[in-house]
Amino acid sequence: MIARLWFTVFCLLAAGTAIAQETPAAPPPPAGMAALRVGVIGPFSGPSADFGVPMLNGVRLAVDEINAVGGYLGRRIELVVKDDEATPPVGLARSQELAKEGVVATIGFCNTGVAMASLDVFQSHKIPLIVPCAAGSPVTAKFPPDESYVFRVAARDGIQAAFVVDDLVKRGWTRVAVFADTTAYGESGLADVRAALSARKLEPAYVARFPLGVTDLSAPLKAARAAGAQVIFSYTVGKENAVIALSRDTLRWNVPLVGGWPLSFPFFIQGAGASAEGALMAQTFIAEPSNERRSSFLAAYARKFNTRRIPVPMAAAQAYDAVYILLYSLFAIRTGEVTGPVLKAALEDLPRTYYGVVATYERPFSPSEKDAITPSMMVLGQVRKGAVTFAYPEDARRNLFVQRKK
């Protein structure tokens, strides 16, 4: 029985098959076969729930599909879900709970500051952590790569910043004003933008720092305009992106707003309304059915969660792929004895290519590389009529083919 279930899982997943319908609950595992416990941690309540909940839903969708065809060697995957409330102390406490509850791996974190406060827990307990959202560059740089248990299926800010800066230079926008909040995310993002500009022998025309919760940024915007800025590069994860756009329009300063993936969040698009129109941002996944894998994923998500629109599609898609990458790594553990070091080694040498929603993952990780996403997988998104679409027609055409790591 177990062998037959395992064969079913292996054939379906190795072929890259997505189950694009609501799957029934799987039967319990055979007697004596305990469920495989996997942690999930993120902001499932509070202001960051806009992307925390889609992340959780992406995980749940993948796990339900996997359990419906037998789980791992006949063992169901059981999720242990923890809400970090987007608060570093809470995230640390919830991470410690996951370690005590015996999870074999964890998928999680949306906020860079929360992740940074909790990484030591997973590293010290040798629990592989796969980060599907938190983009701060320091997240996968805290520990030496060959020793690190921290993996990521999201474009780190160093990649996003360089990707957007390259586009700005092509457009002739070389005088860049950087608006970054004072969180760990804003701090690391500002450093990445500076580095990306420096690589082009440029420096910011103006830099503004502000705390979360600010409601008016007219003064620093006036200063940026006086400095001759041609474009505003924002690095904040919440409502402050909308504040930048609204304050800019109040000043009647007609310059573009660009940034990382938070410019695709509802906080910005809905909060800024018409002022969000035309904003440009780095994306790994745009919720358009550009190929069979993405169509299948979007249809399955819509059916399971009864929604026509995913608030933050990248969070859901990257989390979904993270679960399957984790499962594929388990393929290398034929004995069923899953330990942290063994699972880490399997993640670093994925035995089979996973044809994912965001990308095709052939060797997403290695002992020296803990980030799965590369610039070749990025596209430029743009807000048009209240939704995110491709900024360039050629990106839409290229997106017919899921990109590989280069």
Side-chain angles (χ1 to χ4, degrees):
M1 175 67 175
I2 293 175
R4 186 165 66 252
L5 288 170
W6 171 242
F7 180 75
T8 302
V9 159
F10 186 87
C11 290
L12 283 171
L13 300 181
T17 301
I19 300 174
Q21 65 274 343
E22 184 84 17
T23 51
M33 295 291 286
L36 197 69
R37 291 164 65 82
V38 174
V40 187
I41 185 167
F44 308 133
S45 64
S48 290
D50 263 359
F51 61 127
V53 171
M55 183 199 85
L56 176 59
N57 287 347
V59 170
R60 284 176 166 161
L61 177 60
V63 167
D64 283 356
E65 291 174 358
I66 292 162
N67 283 339
V69 289
Y72 165 62
L73 292 180
R75 299 168 65 182
R76 285 177 56 84
I77 295 177
E78 175 187 321
L79 296 179
V80 183
V81 180
K82 302 290 182 180
D83 182 1
D84 65 29
E85 301 174 20
T87 304
V90 175
L92 175 59
R94 299 292 180 267
S95 297
Q96 291 166 337
E97 291 172 8
L98 286 171
K100 290 178 182 177
E101 293 181 35
V103 297
V104 298
T106 291
I107 295 169
F109 294 115
C110 289
N111 304 90
T112 295
V114 182
M116 293 303 294
S118 304
L119 296 182
D120 284 326
V121 173
F122 300 96
Q123 186 71 14
S124 62
H125 285 85
K126 298 183 178 180
I127 300 171
L129 170 68
I130 305 178
V131 179
C133 291
S137 295
V139 170
T140 47
K142 183 169 184 179
F143 308 111
D146 60 333
E147 300 174 11
S148 181
Y149 279 76
V150 181
F151 302 80
R152 177 160 48 193
V153 184
R156 69 176 184 272
D157 283 326
I159 290 174
Q160 293 190 48
F163 179 78
V164 173
V165 165
D166 284 349
D167 185 73
L168 298 184
V169 172
K170 290 175 186 176
R171 293 169 184 257
W173 300 338
T174 57
R175 295 192 58 77
V176 182
V178 187
F179 278 61
D181 68 34
T182 51
T183 66
Y185 175 73
E187 188 70 32
S188 65
L190 174 58
D192 288 328
V193 176
R194 286 187 184 276
L197 289 170
S198 178
R200 291 282 193 161
K201 296 182 169 38
L202 299 170
E203 60 182 36
Y206 182 82
V207 174
R209 305 300 306 277
F210 53 87
L212 296 182
V214 67
T215 57
D216 183 22
L217 287 166
S218 297
L221 283 166
K222 287 179 181 177
R225 181 171 60 183
Q230 299 167 302
V231 60
I232 302 166
F233 199 132
S234 74
Y235 249 103
T236 185
V237 77
K239 297 179 180 179
E240 295 74 25
N241 272 322
V243 172
I244 294 170
L246 292 166
S247 297
R248 175 203 59 183
D249 284 4
T250 297
L251 295 174
R252 297 183 180 178
W253 185 28
N254 187 25
V255 292
L257 177 61
V258 305
W261 73 305
L263 286 180
S264 66
F265 289 15
F267 264 152
F268 173 65
I269 296 175
Q270 295 173 10
S275 296
E277 190 72 9
L280 299 164
M281 78 293 295
Q283 297 278 273
T284 61
F285 174 79
I286 290 176
E288 296 183 11
S290 53
N291 60 45
E292 185 178 351
R293 297 179 214 167
R294 292 181 178 129
S295 296
S296 179
F297 167 74
L298 291 169
Y301 190 104
R303 273 192 283 265
K304 182 171 180 61
F305 301 107
N306 192 29
T307 181
R308 291 186 177 182
R309 176 176 290 189
I310 307 173
V312 182
M314 275 178 60
Q318 289 170 176
Y320 179 91
D321 279 354
V323 174
Y324 275 101
I325 289 172
L326 173 62
L327 184 69
Y328 271 46
S329 71
L330 291 169
F331 287 168
I333 308 174
R334 302 303 180 112
T335 64
E337 296 296 324
V338 183
T339 66
V342 170
L343 186 52
K344 172 182 179 293
L347 282 163
E348 293 169 345
D349 187 19
L350 204 67
R352 284 185 173 269
T353 299
Y354 164 53
Y355 298 95
V357 174
V358 171
T360 294
Y361 304 92
E362 191 168 7
R363 283 286 189 273
F365 308 117
S366 72
S368 61
E369 176 59 74
K370 295 298 184 286
D371 281 290
I373 303 296
T374 58
S376 63
M377 301 171 183
M378 304 295 298
V379 296
L380 196 70
Q382 185 170 36
V383 178
R384 292 180 189 156
K385 298 180 181 180
V388 176
T389 188
F390 295 96
Y392 294 116
E394 56 266 34
D395 276 350
R397 290 191 293 271
R398 186 170 65 92
N399 213 49
L400 293 171
F401 307 95
V402 180
Q403 301 302 304
R404 291 175 181 262
K405 192 169 189 175
K406 295 179 182 177

